[in-house]
Amino acid sequence: MDLNDACRVLTTQQPDCFDRIAAIYDQMDAAYTVVARHYGFVCQGCEDNCCLTRFRHHTLMEYAYLQWGFAGLDADLRREIRTRSDDYRLSLQVAEGANQAFRHWCPLNFEGRCRLYAFRPMICRLHGLPHILRHPARGLIQGPGCHILEQDCQGVRPRPLDRTALYKALAGLEQTIRQGTGCKAPVGLTVAEMILAFPEA
Ligand code: SF4
């Protein structure tokens, strides 16, 4: 079963998974807000912007939710986003082939605004803040904030975002839907690659 077959199964047989991921995303947004407020940090966009960064996303659940949001856009906008996604994919192929740094606007970013903001993947919600993760095998993993935060918030008492429960919640949901659908296909796609993989309406 491929990713799109699994999405069809989810829509008909496990529709509550979409409410469950929305609730997990709400928890992520709330956790982000608490920590950002602590630092007095407001993301104004910069070259470290998540929308310019090549992130690959790894869960079927995020793929399915983004696909669901994408299907709700009007046909002209979907076409434009697919064209942008194709440009993104070609630029990425060239950059990766030449082992060059890659900066490219995500195809969903229109003049600084995400066209699928409510459906954006996890890392778009958590990027930029100092964080910790209590990994079952690797122990405590710590990550810094983006360079703007590190520069502007020097001297602020450290209060990293603990991603542990958030990752666990998403991993638990992923396990449930993988078992329910039987889909073993990996994801590992950028937003552009996901969009190009979605079925054409
Ligand atoms: S999905 Fe939205 S928030 Fe995430 S990188 Fe793309 S435009 Fe930015």
Side-chain angles (χ1 to χ4, degrees):
M1 175 179 293
D2 71 14
L3 294 172
N4 291 331
D5 291 336
C7 290
R8 277 187 284 279
V9 171
L10 288 176
T11 309
T12 54
Q13 294 176 19
Q14 289 180 262
D16 69 307
C17 69
F18 295 102
D19 293 334
R20 290 179 62 189
I21 192 170
I24 293 169
Y25 279 164
D26 283 349
Q27 289 168 20
M28 291 180 183
D29 294 346
Y32 180 98
T33 300
V34 168
V35 175
R37 279 205 187 121
H38 169 83
Y39 285 99
F41 176 68
V42 179
C43 176
Q44 312 274 13
C46 67
E47 75 281 6
D48 189 37
N49 194 315
C50 63
C51 306
L52 274 164
T53 305
R54 174 194 46 193
F55 286 123
R56 286 197 160 89
H57 310 277
H58 296 280
T59 64
L60 168 61
M61 193 62 247
E62 290 176 289
Y63 180 91
Y65 199 52
L66 196 76
Q67 184 179 131
W68 194 45
F70 186 71
L73 298 176
D74 75 59
D76 286 346
L77 183 54
R78 286 205 305 269
R79 251 190 306 278
E80 183 174 355
I81 292 170
R82 281 188 192 278
T83 302
R84 287 163 154 240
S85 298
D86 223 14
D87 292 344
Y88 185 105
R89 179 168 61 180
L90 286 172
S91 304
L92 182 57
Q93 275 170 0
V94 170
E96 289 187 338
N99 208 15
Q100 288 168 346
F102 180 74
R103 310 296 295 169
H104 197 294
W105 284 106
C106 172
L108 288 175
N109 187 305
F110 284 65
E111 294 166 2
R113 296 184 75 87
C114 176
R115 296 309 294 255
L116 284 177
Y117 191 74
F119 299 90
R120 70 199 191 285
M122 173 180 73
I123 198 62
C124 304
R125 297 165 191 268
L126 301 181
H127 181 67
L129 296 180
H131 53 274
I132 59 170
L133 177 67
R134 296 172 209 283
H135 192 277
R138 292 161 57 200
L140 181 66
I141 299 170
Q142 305 186 60
C146 65
H147 71 282
I148 301 279
L149 182 142
E150 295 290 324
Q151 168 192 303
D152 290 355
C153 303
Q154 285 176 23
V156 178
R157 177 174 56 81
R159 194 207 183 291
L161 173 60
D162 188 346
R163 293 182 175 181
T164 313
L166 303 169
Y167 277 28
K168 257 192 202 162
L170 185 57
L173 177 55
E174 179 74 1
Q175 199 178 14
T176 302
I177 64 161
R178 289 283 187 173
Q179 281 166 356
T181 58
C183 174
K184 293 188 169 54
V187 184
L189 299 171
T190 63
V191 163
E193 290 163 338
M194 286 200 259
I195 288 164
L196 291 169
F198 293 162
E200 306 241 8

